[in-house]
Amino acid sequence: MIYRVTLTALIAALMAYASEPAQAADPAPLVLVQTIPLKGVVGNLDHLAVDARGGRLFVANKANNTLDVVDLKAGTLVKQIPGQTKVSGVVYARDLDMIFVGNGGGVCNGIDGKDYKTVFSTPAEKADNVYYHSGNKTVYVAHGETVSVLDAKTGEVKNRIATGGKTEEFRVDKKANKLYVNLRSPSVVAVIDLSTNEVVDRFKLTMTETNGPLAYDDKAGMLFVGCGGKAPMIIVVDAKNGTELASVAIPAGIDNLHYDSKRSRLYASCGEGAVAVVEKKGDKYALIAKVETAKKAKTSIYHSGSGRLYVGAPRVEGTEAPQVLVYEARPAIEANPAPSARK
């Protein structure tokens, strides 16, 4: 009798559960909205840059030795700029309408955004990451154990900063007038005072020896260090004193890392074939999703205005072409209205 009552109750409970409306699953934090084919041989893509006003995307097609220009509205490749040997870092200066390209072949090129002709070509051995500072019309080029400071209009070398380690990615705090640089061997974040162009501090990382990409929350004063190796992770570092506050495990092969201030999230593009989405919840950071991308798709750029993440998917054996995968961050957040539209 006890068995029959228990079974009856169980059946009733299951029927009641089935009659209830299904609970909606949490929306995906990134949704694929566009796939843009490129052209090129098998091999890596590297950094990307967005021209939001002009509707263009610039892609370092490293295996092809070209800088690729994509029309984002049409979703098509419109031009490949040749002669970019081992092209790596790319940044776009909207006020100058110029693209600055760090080529591992040994130069930083300044390219006109209208006719795509080379304005200057400045020697910089093993040039990699580049950053444009609109406030002082300066380009910072990471190469070897040096950050070179260039005049953005002429390419003239204004200064060379010895970092004391192999330079990886960097971020700028314009208000504090500081440049944060990830260095390897030893694994530290170097702090450069841009008024003196000198290293003024070094934050030793104890959780990793394989730091690479870097992201920055300027409002909270937090650095996010992407780390590869046997224990891939993101380390949260206080930008004031270098204290390591937290770490989050992520998929292998991280190459680029971006902070989404509107959603308090980090997007880490990883060569394992996924974008790791890490969200800040109170004082904690948690991996909330691993969004599938493509094999070896490890480079990316995030544009906060449109809420879009552009991921470079290189051509691998068995595929016809490299691609750009375009993801939209969810939930959608409307941009602030233009001043003329405000009441």
Side-chain angles (χ1 to χ4, degrees):
M1 180 64 70
I2 294 176
Y3 175 79
R4 291 179 61 190
V5 171
T6 303
L7 182 58
T8 301
L10 177 60
I11 292 172
L14 288 173
M15 292 179 64
Y17 175 80
S19 65
E20 292 179 357
Q23 298 295 317
D26 291 337
L30 292 171
V31 176
L32 181 65
V33 295
Q34 191 179 28
T35 299
I36 304 172
L38 304 176
K39 294 179 181 179
V41 299
V42 171
N44 289 336
L45 300 179
D46 217 316
H47 294 281
L48 303 89
V50 178
D51 167 20
R53 181 176 293 177
R56 295 179 295 180
L57 180 75
F58 304 103
V59 183
N61 196 333
K62 196 167 192 173
N64 216 43
N65 291 323
T66 60
L67 178 68
D68 292 4
V69 184
V70 172
D71 182 326
L72 289 175
K73 186 175 181 180
T76 58
L77 173 68
V78 294
K79 187 173 182 62
Q80 291 186 305
I81 303 171
Q84 310 301 312
T85 307
K86 297 181 181 178
V87 59
S88 182
V90 183
V91 68
Y92 175 70
R94 187 177 69 179
D95 56 334
L96 301 178
D97 194 14
M98 285 185 65
I99 312 112
F100 302 104
V101 186
N103 288 326
V107 296
C108 177
N109 289 332
I111 298 174
D112 189 290
K114 296 181 180 65
D115 58 17
Y116 302 118
K117 293 182 178 179
T118 301
V119 176
F120 64 77
S121 188
T122 301
E125 187 178 2
K126 297 180 181 179
D128 192 353
N129 291 287
V130 289
Y131 176 83
Y132 171 65
H133 194 311
S134 60
N136 56 22
K137 302 295 186 290
T138 299
V139 179
Y140 297 90
V141 186
H143 57 108
E145 296 188 358
T146 303
V147 172
S148 288
V149 185
L150 311 184
D151 183 298
K153 295 181 180 179
T154 66
E156 178 187 356
V157 179
K158 295 293 187 181
N159 212 310
R160 293 194 190 275
I161 306 167
T163 61
K166 181 185 176 184
T167 55
E168 296 292 335
E169 200 165 5
F170 42 62
R171 288 289 183 267
V172 171
D173 185 332
K174 289 185 178 180
K175 292 182 180 179
N177 206 30
K178 291 180 178 179
L179 179 73
Y180 299 98
V181 190
N182 255 343
L183 305 180
R184 294 231 188 125
S185 302
S187 185
V188 303
V189 178
V191 184
I192 296 173
D193 185 330
L194 294 182
S195 62
T196 62
N197 286 321
E198 295 180 347
V199 176
V200 294
D201 209 345
R202 294 176 186 273
F203 301 152
K204 181 72 175 73
L205 300 173
T206 65
M207 296 182 180
T208 185
E209 293 182 353
T210 53
N211 57 322
L214 193 65
Y216 186 48
D217 176 1
D218 58 347
K219 292 183 179 178
M222 294 295 172
L223 291 162
F224 305 102
V225 181
C227 311
K230 295 180 180 179
M233 69 179 80
I234 295 171
I235 302 174
V236 183
V237 178
D238 189 323
K240 300 180 187 67
N241 52 33
T243 302
E244 294 164 282
L245 301 174
S247 66
V248 182
I250 59 171
I254 182 173
D255 202 321
N256 285 143
L257 180 63
H258 314 283
Y259 179 63
D260 177 354
S261 60
K262 294 179 181 178
R263 299 168 184 82
S264 298
R265 289 178 185 163
L266 291 159
Y267 305 123
S269 51
C270 304
E272 188 177 282
V275 172
V277 182
V278 173
E279 188 169 277
K280 183 180 181 182
K281 299 180 179 180
D283 294 329
K284 307 293 184 181
Y285 295 83
L287 178 68
I288 64 168
K290 290 191 291 185
V291 179
E292 183 179 355
T293 54
K295 187 176 181 180
K296 297 185 178 180
K298 60 182 181 177
T299 56
S300 61
I301 186 70
Y302 177 68
H303 183 253
S304 60
S306 63
R308 292 197 165 191
L309 179 73
Y310 301 90
V311 178
R315 181 180 176 185
V316 297
E317 294 293 344
T319 62
E320 295 183 358
Q323 298 177 323
V324 173
L325 308 176
V326 186
Y327 294 85
E328 191 171 89
R330 302 288 172 84
I333 297 175
E334 292 185 9
N336 292 329
S340 60
R342 293 174 182 158
K343 295 181 179 180

